[in-house]
Amino acid sequence: MSVILTYLPHLLQGLVVTLQVAAGSFVIGLLIAVLAVFGWNFGPLPLRWFISAYVTIVRGLPELLIIFLVFYGGTVLLSGAFGTYVEVNALTAGICALSVVSGAYLTEILRGALLTVPQGQWEAATSLGLSRMTAFRDVVLPQMLSYAVPGLGNQWLVILKESALVSIIGLEELMRKGVVAAGATHSPMTFYLTVGALYVAITGVSTLIIGAADRRAARGR
Amino acid sequence: MSPDIFIKAAPVVLQGLQLTLIITIASFLLGQLLALPLGLARQASSPLLRWPAAIYTFLIRGSPLLVQLFIIYYGLGQIPAIRNSILWPILREPLYCGIIAISLNSAAYMAEVVAGALRRVPKGQSEACISLGISRRHRFTDVLLPQVYRELLPNIGNEIILVLKSSSLASAVTIMEITGVARAFTARTFAPFEVFITAGILYLAIGFAFTFLFRLLERRYGITGTRTPAPEASA
Protein backbone atom coordinates (compact mmCIF):
# COMPACT_ATOMS: atom_id res chain seq x y z
CA MET A 1 0.00 0.00 0.00
CA SER A 2 2.78 2.43 0.91
CA VAL A 3 4.38 1.69 -2.49
CA ILE A 4 1.22 2.87 -4.18
CA LEU A 5 1.17 6.03 -2.08
CA THR A 6 4.75 6.84 -3.06
CA TYR A 7 3.88 6.64 -6.74
CA LEU A 8 0.36 8.03 -6.51
CA PRO A 9 1.38 11.64 -7.31
CA HIS A 10 3.12 10.37 -10.50
CA LEU A 11 0.08 8.36 -11.47
CA LEU A 12 -2.18 11.37 -10.93
CA GLN A 13 0.13 13.50 -13.08
CA GLY A 14 -0.25 10.83 -15.73
CA LEU A 15 -4.00 10.93 -15.30
CA VAL A 16 -3.97 14.64 -16.16
CA VAL A 17 -2.04 13.91 -19.37
CA THR A 18 -4.50 11.11 -20.18
CA LEU A 19 -7.39 13.55 -19.81
CA GLN A 20 -5.55 16.08 -21.99
CA VAL A 21 -5.02 13.52 -24.75
CA ALA A 22 -8.61 12.28 -24.54
CA ALA A 23 -10.18 15.74 -24.38
CA GLY A 24 -7.91 17.11 -27.12
CA SER A 25 -8.66 14.28 -29.53
CA PHE A 26 -12.36 14.31 -28.69
CA VAL A 27 -12.73 18.03 -29.41
CA ILE A 28 -10.65 17.95 -32.60
CA GLY A 29 -12.44 14.76 -33.65
CA LEU A 30 -15.78 16.48 -33.12
CA LEU A 31 -14.67 19.43 -35.26
CA ILE A 32 -13.61 17.01 -38.00
CA ALA A 33 -16.95 15.23 -37.70
CA VAL A 34 -19.05 18.42 -37.90
CA LEU A 35 -17.11 19.54 -40.97
CA ALA A 36 -17.43 16.06 -42.48
CA VAL A 37 -21.19 15.93 -41.92
CA PHE A 38 -21.51 19.45 -43.35
CA GLY A 39 -19.45 18.42 -46.38
CA TRP A 40 -21.45 15.22 -46.70
CA ASN A 41 -24.66 17.24 -46.96
CA PHE A 42 -23.61 20.23 -49.05
CA GLY A 43 -20.36 19.22 -50.70
CA PRO A 44 -19.87 17.95 -54.24
CA LEU A 45 -19.93 14.23 -54.97
CA PRO A 46 -16.12 13.70 -54.87
CA LEU A 47 -16.06 15.20 -51.38
CA ARG A 48 -18.74 12.73 -50.27
CA TRP A 49 -16.64 9.90 -51.67
CA PHE A 50 -13.63 11.20 -49.82
CA ILE A 51 -15.57 11.40 -46.52
CA SER A 52 -16.96 7.88 -46.99
CA ALA A 53 -13.49 6.55 -47.75
CA TYR A 54 -12.07 8.31 -44.68
CA VAL A 55 -14.71 6.82 -42.37
CA THR A 56 -14.49 3.30 -43.83
CA ILE A 57 -10.69 3.12 -43.92
CA VAL A 58 -10.07 4.56 -40.45
CA ARG A 59 -12.68 2.32 -38.86
CA GLY A 60 -11.05 -0.72 -40.42
CA LEU A 61 -7.55 0.01 -39.13
CA PRO A 62 -6.15 -0.76 -35.66
CA GLU A 63 -5.73 2.45 -33.66
CA LEU A 64 -2.21 1.40 -32.70
CA LEU A 65 -1.21 1.24 -36.38
CA ILE A 66 -2.52 4.78 -36.92
CA ILE A 67 -0.59 6.00 -33.88
CA PHE A 68 2.62 4.40 -35.21
CA LEU A 69 2.01 5.82 -38.68
CA VAL A 70 1.58 9.36 -37.34
CA PHE A 71 4.48 9.09 -34.87
CA TYR A 72 7.13 7.45 -37.07
CA GLY A 73 5.80 9.03 -40.26
CA GLY A 74 5.80 12.47 -38.67
CA THR A 75 9.34 11.94 -37.44
CA VAL A 76 10.54 11.04 -40.94
CA LEU A 77 8.75 14.02 -42.50
CA LEU A 78 10.09 16.47 -39.92
CA SER A 79 13.61 15.05 -40.10
CA GLY A 80 13.46 15.40 -43.87
CA ALA A 81 12.25 18.99 -43.60
CA PHE A 82 14.88 20.07 -41.09
CA GLY A 83 17.72 17.94 -42.38
CA THR A 84 18.48 16.46 -38.93
CA TYR A 85 16.78 13.89 -36.75
CA VAL A 86 13.70 15.51 -35.21
CA GLU A 87 11.37 13.30 -33.21
CA VAL A 88 7.70 14.19 -33.16
CA ASN A 89 6.41 15.05 -29.72
CA ALA A 90 4.47 12.02 -28.46
CA LEU A 91 1.64 14.19 -27.13
CA THR A 92 1.13 15.85 -30.51
CA ALA A 93 1.36 12.54 -32.37
CA GLY A 94 -1.08 10.88 -29.96
CA ILE A 95 -3.64 13.67 -30.18
CA CYS A 96 -3.32 13.81 -34.00
CA ALA A 97 -3.75 10.06 -34.40
CA LEU A 98 -6.65 9.73 -31.97
CA SER A 99 -8.37 12.82 -33.45
CA VAL A 100 -8.34 11.17 -36.86
CA VAL A 101 -9.75 7.98 -35.32
CA SER A 102 -12.46 9.62 -33.22
CA GLY A 103 -13.30 11.97 -36.12
CA ALA A 104 -14.27 8.94 -38.20
CA TYR A 105 -16.46 7.37 -35.52
CA LEU A 106 -18.01 10.74 -34.58
CA THR A 107 -18.85 11.37 -38.26
CA GLU A 108 -20.86 8.14 -38.23
CA ILE A 109 -22.57 9.15 -34.98
CA LEU A 110 -23.46 12.64 -36.23
CA ARG A 111 -24.61 11.30 -39.58
CA GLY A 112 -27.02 9.04 -37.69
CA ALA A 113 -28.16 11.90 -35.46
CA LEU A 114 -28.76 14.14 -38.48
CA LEU A 115 -31.31 11.66 -39.80
CA THR A 116 -33.34 12.04 -36.62
CA VAL A 117 -33.74 15.82 -37.14
CA PRO A 118 -37.09 16.16 -38.96
CA GLN A 119 -36.90 17.37 -42.58
CA GLY A 120 -39.48 20.04 -41.68
CA GLN A 121 -36.87 21.83 -39.59
CA TRP A 122 -34.79 22.49 -42.71
CA GLU A 123 -37.84 23.62 -44.61
CA ALA A 124 -39.02 25.90 -41.80
CA ALA A 125 -35.56 27.42 -41.44
CA THR A 126 -35.09 28.08 -45.17
CA SER A 127 -38.64 29.40 -45.54
CA LEU A 128 -37.82 31.93 -42.84
CA GLY A 129 -35.07 33.16 -45.12
CA LEU A 130 -32.08 31.59 -43.34
CA SER A 131 -29.29 30.52 -45.64
CA ARG A 132 -28.51 26.79 -45.69
CA MET A 133 -25.30 27.51 -43.81
CA THR A 134 -27.08 29.40 -41.03
CA ALA A 135 -29.90 26.86 -40.94
CA PHE A 136 -27.32 24.12 -40.42
CA ARG A 137 -25.36 26.01 -37.78
CA ASP A 138 -28.18 27.53 -35.75
CA VAL A 139 -31.13 25.20 -36.24
CA VAL A 140 -30.09 21.71 -37.25
CA LEU A 141 -26.70 21.34 -35.54
CA PRO A 142 -27.90 22.03 -31.96
CA GLN A 143 -30.77 19.55 -32.34
CA MET A 144 -28.46 17.02 -33.94
CA LEU A 145 -25.99 17.28 -31.06
CA SER A 146 -28.76 16.83 -28.51
CA TYR A 147 -29.83 13.59 -30.19
CA ALA A 148 -26.20 12.51 -30.40
CA VAL A 149 -25.41 12.82 -26.67
CA PRO A 150 -25.40 9.05 -25.91
CA GLY A 151 -23.27 8.33 -28.98
CA LEU A 152 -20.89 11.19 -28.20
CA GLY A 153 -20.61 9.99 -24.61
CA ASN A 154 -19.82 6.48 -25.77
CA GLN A 155 -17.10 7.81 -28.05
CA TRP A 156 -15.63 9.82 -25.16
CA LEU A 157 -15.33 6.60 -23.13
CA VAL A 158 -13.71 4.85 -26.09
CA ILE A 159 -11.16 7.63 -26.62
CA LEU A 160 -10.39 7.72 -22.89
CA LYS A 161 -9.44 4.04 -22.98
CA GLU A 162 -7.69 4.24 -26.37
CA SER A 163 -5.45 7.01 -25.06
CA ALA A 164 -3.61 4.27 -23.12
CA LEU A 165 -2.15 3.15 -26.47
CA VAL A 166 -0.15 6.37 -26.71
CA SER A 167 1.98 5.04 -23.83
CA ILE A 168 3.54 2.65 -26.37
CA ILE A 169 5.21 5.59 -28.16
CA GLY A 170 6.43 6.86 -24.79
CA LEU A 171 3.98 9.57 -23.77
CA GLU A 172 4.04 9.94 -19.99
CA GLU A 173 0.31 9.46 -19.46
CA LEU A 174 -1.38 7.26 -16.86
CA MET A 175 -0.55 3.91 -18.47
CA ARG A 176 3.10 4.84 -19.05
CA LYS A 177 3.46 6.07 -15.45
CA GLY A 178 2.09 2.71 -14.37
CA VAL A 179 4.62 0.85 -16.53
CA VAL A 180 7.47 2.92 -15.06
CA ALA A 181 6.28 2.37 -11.47
CA ALA A 182 5.77 -1.35 -12.12
CA GLY A 183 9.32 -1.64 -13.46
CA ALA A 184 10.91 0.37 -10.66
CA THR A 185 9.22 -1.54 -7.85
CA HIS A 186 9.05 -5.00 -9.48
CA SER A 187 5.40 -5.19 -8.54
CA PRO A 188 3.52 -5.06 -11.86
CA MET A 189 0.29 -6.53 -10.48
CA THR A 190 -0.04 -3.81 -7.85
CA PHE A 191 0.48 -0.97 -10.30
CA TYR A 192 -1.48 -2.27 -13.25
CA LEU A 193 -4.43 -2.91 -10.92
CA THR A 194 -4.09 0.64 -9.54
CA VAL A 195 -3.91 2.09 -13.04
CA GLY A 196 -6.91 -0.02 -14.05
CA ALA A 197 -8.84 1.23 -11.02
CA LEU A 198 -8.04 4.85 -11.94
CA TYR A 199 -9.33 4.27 -15.48
CA VAL A 200 -12.48 2.64 -14.11
CA ALA A 201 -12.94 5.64 -11.80
CA ILE A 202 -12.75 8.20 -14.63
CA THR A 203 -14.93 6.16 -16.97
CA GLY A 204 -17.42 5.64 -14.12
CA VAL A 205 -17.60 9.37 -13.36
CA SER A 206 -17.85 10.09 -17.10
CA THR A 207 -20.76 7.66 -17.41
CA LEU A 208 -22.64 9.48 -14.64
CA ILE A 209 -22.00 12.87 -16.30
CA ILE A 210 -23.08 11.55 -19.70
CA GLY A 211 -26.31 10.23 -18.17
CA ALA A 212 -27.03 13.61 -16.62
CA ALA A 213 -26.17 15.39 -19.89
CA ASP A 214 -28.50 13.14 -21.83
CA ARG A 215 -31.37 13.76 -19.44
CA ARG A 216 -30.74 17.49 -19.77
CA ALA A 217 -30.54 17.31 -23.55
CA ALA A 218 -33.76 15.30 -23.65
CA ARG A 219 -35.72 18.06 -21.93
CA GLY A 220 -36.23 20.01 -25.14
CA ARG A 221 -37.38 16.98 -27.13
CA MET B 1 8.15 6.82 -50.75
CA SER B 2 9.93 4.48 -53.06
CA PRO B 3 8.08 1.61 -54.75
CA ASP B 4 10.84 -0.93 -54.09
CA ILE B 5 10.34 -0.51 -50.33
CA PHE B 6 6.68 -1.35 -50.87
CA ILE B 7 7.85 -4.51 -52.61
CA LYS B 8 10.22 -5.24 -49.73
CA ALA B 9 7.60 -4.42 -47.08
CA ALA B 10 4.92 -6.75 -48.40
CA PRO B 11 6.61 -10.10 -47.57
CA VAL B 12 7.71 -8.73 -44.17
CA VAL B 13 4.21 -7.67 -43.23
CA LEU B 14 2.81 -10.95 -44.53
CA GLN B 15 5.02 -12.77 -41.99
CA GLY B 16 2.79 -11.33 -39.30
CA LEU B 17 -0.40 -12.39 -41.03
CA GLN B 18 -0.49 -15.89 -39.55
CA LEU B 19 -0.16 -14.69 -35.94
CA THR B 20 -2.74 -11.94 -36.47
CA LEU B 21 -5.20 -14.52 -37.82
CA ILE B 22 -4.46 -16.98 -34.99
CA ILE B 23 -4.96 -14.31 -32.31
CA THR B 24 -8.07 -12.90 -33.99
CA ILE B 25 -9.84 -16.19 -34.59
CA ALA B 26 -8.90 -17.80 -31.26
CA SER B 27 -9.85 -14.71 -29.21
CA PHE B 28 -13.05 -14.25 -31.19
CA LEU B 29 -14.18 -17.86 -30.66
CA LEU B 30 -13.21 -17.91 -26.97
CA GLY B 31 -14.89 -14.55 -26.47
CA GLN B 32 -18.13 -15.74 -28.06
CA LEU B 33 -18.01 -18.91 -25.97
CA LEU B 34 -17.68 -16.90 -22.74
CA ALA B 35 -20.21 -14.26 -23.78
CA LEU B 36 -23.19 -16.62 -23.70
CA PRO B 37 -22.96 -17.70 -20.03
CA LEU B 38 -22.06 -14.12 -19.09
CA GLY B 39 -25.01 -12.74 -21.02
CA LEU B 40 -27.32 -15.30 -19.42
CA ALA B 41 -25.95 -14.38 -15.99
CA ARG B 42 -26.59 -10.67 -16.73
CA GLN B 43 -30.23 -11.62 -17.33
CA ALA B 44 -30.57 -14.18 -14.53
CA SER B 45 -33.18 -13.69 -11.83
CA SER B 46 -30.74 -14.62 -9.07
CA PRO B 47 -28.66 -11.66 -7.86
CA LEU B 48 -25.85 -14.12 -7.09
CA LEU B 49 -25.43 -14.58 -10.85
CA ARG B 50 -26.46 -11.13 -11.95
CA TRP B 51 -24.14 -9.07 -9.76
CA PRO B 52 -20.81 -10.78 -10.46
CA ALA B 53 -21.55 -10.62 -14.20
CA ALA B 54 -22.49 -6.95 -13.95
CA ILE B 55 -19.33 -6.13 -12.03
CA TYR B 56 -17.19 -8.09 -14.50
CA THR B 57 -18.58 -6.29 -17.54
CA PHE B 58 -18.36 -2.93 -15.76
CA LEU B 59 -14.69 -3.39 -14.86
CA ILE B 60 -13.64 -4.77 -18.24
CA ARG B 61 -15.56 -2.17 -20.23
CA GLY B 62 -14.32 0.59 -17.94
CA SER B 63 -10.59 0.02 -18.38
CA PRO B 64 -8.31 -0.13 -21.42
CA LEU B 65 -7.52 -3.48 -23.02
CA LEU B 66 -3.82 -2.62 -22.76
CA VAL B 67 -4.09 -2.49 -18.95
CA GLN B 68 -5.89 -5.84 -18.91
CA LEU B 69 -3.25 -7.36 -21.16
CA PHE B 70 -0.46 -6.09 -18.91
CA ILE B 71 -2.22 -7.36 -15.77
CA ILE B 72 -2.39 -10.82 -17.30
CA TYR B 73 1.06 -10.93 -18.91
CA TYR B 74 3.22 -8.96 -16.44
CA GLY B 75 0.98 -8.84 -13.37
CA LEU B 76 0.14 -12.50 -12.81
CA GLY B 77 3.82 -13.43 -12.70
CA GLN B 78 4.20 -11.36 -9.54
CA ILE B 79 2.11 -13.87 -7.61
CA PRO B 80 4.23 -16.87 -6.50
CA ALA B 81 1.19 -19.16 -6.31
CA ILE B 82 0.60 -18.62 -10.03
CA ARG B 83 4.26 -19.08 -10.94
CA ASN B 84 4.15 -22.48 -9.21
CA SER B 85 0.79 -23.57 -10.58
CA ILE B 86 0.16 -25.80 -13.58
CA LEU B 87 -1.19 -22.74 -15.43
CA TRP B 88 2.23 -21.08 -15.53
CA PRO B 89 3.39 -22.66 -18.82
CA ILE B 90 0.35 -21.02 -20.42
CA LEU B 91 0.53 -17.67 -18.63
CA ARG B 92 4.26 -17.38 -19.35
CA GLU B 93 3.62 -17.28 -23.09
CA PRO B 94 2.83 -13.84 -24.52
CA LEU B 95 0.72 -15.38 -27.31
CA TYR B 96 -1.61 -17.17 -24.88
CA CYS B 97 -1.79 -14.08 -22.66
CA GLY B 98 -2.75 -11.97 -25.68
CA ILE B 99 -5.49 -14.40 -26.64
CA ILE B 100 -6.78 -14.62 -23.04
CA ALA B 101 -6.84 -10.83 -22.57
CA ILE B 102 -8.55 -10.10 -25.88
CA SER B 103 -11.13 -12.85 -25.43
CA LEU B 104 -11.98 -11.81 -21.85
CA ASN B 105 -12.38 -8.25 -23.14
CA SER B 106 -14.47 -9.20 -26.15
CA ALA B 107 -16.66 -11.46 -23.96
CA ALA B 108 -17.61 -8.51 -21.71
CA TYR B 109 -18.75 -6.35 -24.65
CA MET B 110 -20.51 -9.26 -26.33
CA ALA B 111 -22.26 -10.32 -23.09
CA GLU B 112 -24.08 -6.98 -22.97
CA VAL B 113 -25.22 -7.49 -26.56
CA VAL B 114 -26.36 -11.07 -25.84
CA ALA B 115 -28.20 -9.90 -22.71
CA GLY B 116 -29.97 -7.25 -24.78
CA ALA B 117 -31.06 -9.81 -27.36
CA LEU B 118 -32.30 -12.17 -24.63
CA ARG B 119 -34.34 -9.29 -23.20
CA ARG B 120 -35.98 -8.70 -26.59
CA VAL B 121 -37.30 -12.27 -26.94
CA PRO B 122 -41.05 -11.96 -26.32
CA LYS B 123 -42.19 -13.46 -23.06
CA GLY B 124 -45.07 -15.21 -24.82
CA GLN B 125 -42.57 -17.58 -26.40
CA SER B 126 -41.61 -19.31 -23.17
CA GLU B 127 -45.27 -19.48 -22.23
CA ALA B 128 -46.01 -21.05 -25.62
CA CYS B 129 -43.22 -23.57 -25.06
CA ILE B 130 -44.57 -24.50 -21.64
CA SER B 131 -48.07 -24.96 -23.03
CA LEU B 132 -46.66 -27.17 -25.80
CA GLY B 133 -44.87 -29.27 -23.20
CA ILE B 134 -41.38 -28.48 -24.54
CA SER B 135 -38.72 -29.27 -21.96
CA ARG B 136 -36.61 -26.50 -20.44
CA ARG B 137 -33.53 -27.75 -22.22
CA HIS B 138 -35.14 -27.77 -25.64
CA ARG B 139 -36.80 -24.44 -24.97
CA PHE B 140 -33.30 -23.08 -24.52
CA THR B 141 -31.43 -24.89 -27.29
CA ASP B 142 -34.15 -25.10 -29.96
CA VAL B 143 -36.24 -21.98 -29.38
CA LEU B 144 -34.25 -19.31 -27.57
CA LEU B 145 -30.67 -19.70 -28.84
CA PRO B 146 -31.39 -19.93 -32.58
CA GLN B 147 -33.44 -16.74 -32.46
CA VAL B 148 -30.89 -14.85 -30.40
CA TYR B 149 -27.94 -15.82 -32.56
CA ARG B 150 -29.72 -15.28 -35.85
CA GLU B 151 -30.63 -11.81 -34.68
CA LEU B 152 -27.10 -11.14 -33.44
CA LEU B 153 -25.26 -12.15 -36.63
CA PRO B 154 -24.60 -8.51 -37.65
CA ASN B 155 -23.29 -7.72 -34.13
CA ILE B 156 -21.07 -10.78 -34.21
CA GLY B 157 -19.68 -9.71 -37.58
CA ASN B 158 -18.96 -6.30 -36.07
CA GLU B 159 -17.24 -7.90 -33.07
CA ILE B 160 -14.79 -9.93 -35.14
CA ILE B 161 -13.58 -6.69 -36.79
CA LEU B 162 -13.07 -5.16 -33.32
CA VAL B 163 -11.15 -8.26 -32.22
CA LEU B 164 -9.02 -8.05 -35.37
CA LYS B 165 -8.12 -4.47 -34.50
CA SER B 166 -7.46 -5.40 -30.85
CA SER B 167 -5.05 -8.12 -31.97
CA SER B 168 -2.58 -5.33 -32.84
CA LEU B 169 -2.11 -4.75 -29.10
CA ALA B 170 -0.40 -8.12 -28.87
CA SER B 171 2.64 -6.37 -30.36
CA ALA B 172 2.95 -4.59 -26.99
CA VAL B 173 3.84 -7.93 -25.36
CA THR B 174 6.52 -8.81 -27.93
CA ILE B 175 4.32 -10.75 -30.34
CA MET B 176 5.36 -10.30 -33.95
CA GLU B 177 1.97 -10.07 -35.57
CA ILE B 178 1.33 -7.60 -38.42
CA THR B 179 1.73 -4.41 -36.35
CA GLY B 180 4.72 -5.90 -34.50
CA VAL B 181 6.66 -6.82 -37.64
CA ALA B 182 5.73 -3.51 -39.24
CA ARG B 183 7.16 -1.60 -36.29
CA ALA B 184 10.33 -3.69 -36.22
CA PHE B 185 10.79 -3.18 -39.98
CA THR B 186 10.38 0.59 -39.50
CA ALA B 187 13.08 0.59 -36.85
CA ARG B 188 15.47 -1.11 -39.29
CA THR B 189 14.68 0.67 -42.57
CA PHE B 190 13.26 3.95 -41.37
CA ALA B 191 10.52 3.80 -44.01
CA PRO B 192 7.39 4.10 -41.87
CA PHE B 193 4.91 5.11 -44.59
CA GLU B 194 5.54 2.19 -46.90
CA VAL B 195 5.44 -0.50 -44.22
CA PHE B 196 2.55 0.88 -42.16
CA ILE B 197 0.47 1.58 -45.27
CA THR B 198 1.13 -1.98 -46.48
CA ALA B 199 0.12 -3.27 -43.04
CA GLY B 200 -3.01 -1.09 -43.14
CA ILE B 201 -4.01 -2.47 -46.53
CA LEU B 202 -3.58 -5.98 -45.16
CA TYR B 203 -5.79 -5.21 -42.14
CA LEU B 204 -8.46 -3.72 -44.42
CA ALA B 205 -8.29 -6.81 -46.65
CA ILE B 206 -8.74 -9.17 -43.68
CA GLY B 207 -11.58 -7.01 -42.40
CA PHE B 208 -13.32 -7.08 -45.79
CA ALA B 209 -12.91 -10.86 -45.92
CA PHE B 210 -14.56 -11.26 -42.50
CA THR B 211 -17.32 -8.80 -43.44
CA PHE B 212 -17.97 -10.73 -46.66
CA LEU B 213 -18.09 -14.03 -44.75
CA PHE B 214 -20.62 -12.64 -42.28
CA ARG B 215 -22.71 -11.17 -45.14
CA LEU B 216 -22.96 -14.71 -46.51
CA LEU B 217 -23.89 -16.13 -43.12
CA GLU B 218 -26.46 -13.37 -42.63
CA ARG B 219 -28.00 -14.05 -46.03
CA ARG B 220 -28.19 -17.75 -45.21
CA TYR B 221 -29.20 -17.67 -41.54
CA GLY B 222 -30.05 -14.07 -40.65
CA ILE B 223 -33.59 -12.97 -39.88
CA THR B 224 -34.82 -10.96 -42.85
CA GLY B 225 -36.22 -7.56 -42.06
CA THR B 226 -34.08 -6.97 -39.00
CA ARG B 227 -32.02 -3.87 -39.44
CA THR B 228 -28.29 -3.97 -39.09
CA PRO B 229 -27.24 -2.37 -35.82
CA ALA B 230 -25.81 1.11 -35.86
CA PRO B 231 -22.04 0.76 -35.92
CA GLU B 232 -20.82 1.13 -32.40
CA ALA B 233 -17.29 1.81 -31.39
CA SER B 234 -15.64 0.03 -28.54
CA ALA B 235 -12.16 -0.55 -27.45
Side-chain angles (χ1 to χ4, degrees):
Chain A
M1 198 61 211
S2 62
V3 205
I4 298 178
L5 286 180
T6 322
Y7 280 92
L8 197 59
H10 295 275
L11 295 180
L12 292 178
Q13 274 172 16
L15 183 63
V16 173
V17 180
T18 288
L19 289 172
Q20 281 171 353
V21 173
S25 2
F26 185 79
V27 170
I28 299 172
L30 196 58
L31 281 175
I32 295 174
V34 169
L35 287 177
V37 171
F38 188 78
W40 174 263
N41 272 285
F42 303 118
L45 199 58
L47 185 66
R48 294 179 65 140
W49 287 337
F50 175 77
I51 293 166
S52 289
Y54 161 63
V55 171
T56 314
I57 290 174
V58 168
R59 292 178 8 142
L61 293 178
E63 291 74 17
L64 190 57
L65 192 75
I66 298 175
I67 292 172
F68 284 161
L69 183 64
V70 171
F71 181 64
Y72 294 112
T75 301
V76 164
L77 285 183
L78 278 188
S79 303
F82 288 100
T84 55
Y85 181 81
V86 186
E87 194 173 277
V88 175
N89 175 285
L91 180 70
T92 317
I95 292 181
C96 284
L98 292 180
S99 299
V100 168
V101 173
S102 61
Y105 284 96
L106 289 168
T107 302
E108 279 290 293
I109 292 166
L110 292 190
R111 220 154 55 174
L114 186 64
L115 295 176
T116 59
V117 177
Q119 192 62 34
Q121 294 284 331
W122 281 108
E123 288 160 11
T126 40
S127 74
L128 286 170
L130 298 183
S131 69
R132 288 213 299 179
M133 184 86 169
T134 324
F136 179 77
R137 201 190 57 208
D138 291 348
V139 179
V140 176
L141 187 64
Q143 297 188 61
M144 194 170 103
L145 288 178
S146 109
Y147 282 111
V149 169
L152 297 180
N154 190 35
Q155 188 55 37
W156 163 252
L157 296 176
V158 169
I159 210 78
L160 210 50
K161 290 178 281 171
E162 270 170 4
S163 70
L165 295 178
V166 185
S167 68
I168 299 177
I169 54 169
L171 178 68
E172 293 280 322
E173 42 69 82
L174 179 53
M175 182 69 201
R176 179 77 200 154
K177 295 280 187 190
V179 172
V180 170
T185 58
H186 297 291
S187 38
M189 191 57 148
T190 323
F191 280 101
Y192 293 137
L193 282 181
T194 313
V195 166
L198 285 170
Y199 276 109
V200 169
I202 41 172
T203 49
V205 171
S206 299
T207 310
L208 292 177
I209 296 172
I210 294 160
D214 188 38
R215 276 191 297 282
R216 203 184 144 79
R219 280 196 313 198
R221 299 205 284 263
Chain B
M1 276 194 251
S2 51
D4 59 307
I5 293 201
F6 269 111
I7 296 164
K8 249 184 256 166
V12 174
V13 169
L14 279 169
Q15 280 171 14
L17 177 65
Q18 195 188 1
L19 273 174
T20 290
L21 287 178
I22 289 173
I23 298 168
T24 305
I25 293 169
S27 319
F28 168 73
L29 292 177
L30 253 172
Q32 293 297 320
L33 217 61
L34 290 167
L36 179 63
L38 259 174
L40 286 167
R42 286 286 279 128
Q43 278 302 97
S45 48
S46 156
L48 274 177
L49 285 173
R50 215 170 51 224
W51 277 101
I55 292 168
Y56 176 78
T57 54
F58 172 73
L59 291 179
I60 296 279
R61 292 175 2 133
S63 57
L65 173 58
L66 191 63
V67 175
Q68 294 155 17
L69 177 62
F70 278 24
I71 287 177
I72 292 172
Y73 182 60
Y74 295 110
L76 287 179
Q78 188 190 331
I79 303 163
I82 285 179
R83 277 204 308 275
N84 298 324
S85 76
I86 47 161
L87 287 175
W88 186 236
I90 292 174
L91 293 172
R92 205 174 46 194
E93 291 295 328
L95 178 63
Y96 294 134
C97 286
I99 292 172
I100 292 169
I102 296 169
S103 52
L104 289 177
N105 186 275
S106 162
Y109 285 94
M110 202 60 209
E112 294 294 315
V113 177
V114 170
L118 286 168
R119 227 173 286 145
R120 282 194 296 276
V121 174
K123 238 182 115 90
Q125 293 214 1
S126 53
E127 287 160 12
C129 287
I130 295 167
S131 69
L132 284 170
I134 296 172
S135 72
R136 267 179 76 98
R137 202 176 65 108
H138 285 289
R139 202 198 306 165
F140 182 68
T141 57
D142 297 353
V143 180
L144 199 64
L145 283 190
Q147 293 190 68
V148 165
Y149 276 98
R150 284 176 67 190
E151 191 199 319
L152 288 185
L153 268 178
N155 298 70
I156 297 174
N158 210 11
E159 186 63 27
I160 196 166
I161 304 292
L162 294 175
V163 171
L164 168 68
K165 297 202 293 171
S166 303
S167 73
S168 67
L169 265 67
S171 66
V173 287
T174 72
I175 294 178
M176 285 294 160
E177 42 66 75
I178 295 177
T179 307
V181 287
R183 193 185 184 195
F185 187 75
T186 303
R188 273 206 316 278
T189 59
F190 223 60
F193 290 109
E194 291 85 345
V195 73
F196 285 126
I197 289 170
T198 314
I201 292 169
L202 191 54
Y203 274 111
L204 289 176
I206 304 169
F208 279 126
F210 281 135
T211 309
F212 180 71
L213 183 73
F214 273 86
R215 285 274 156 74
L216 289 183
L217 284 173
E218 261 174 70
R219 201 169 300 161
R220 178 82 179 74
Y221 298 106
I223 300 172
T224 46
T226 48
R227 57 192 171 80
T228 40
E232 214 175 300
S234 60

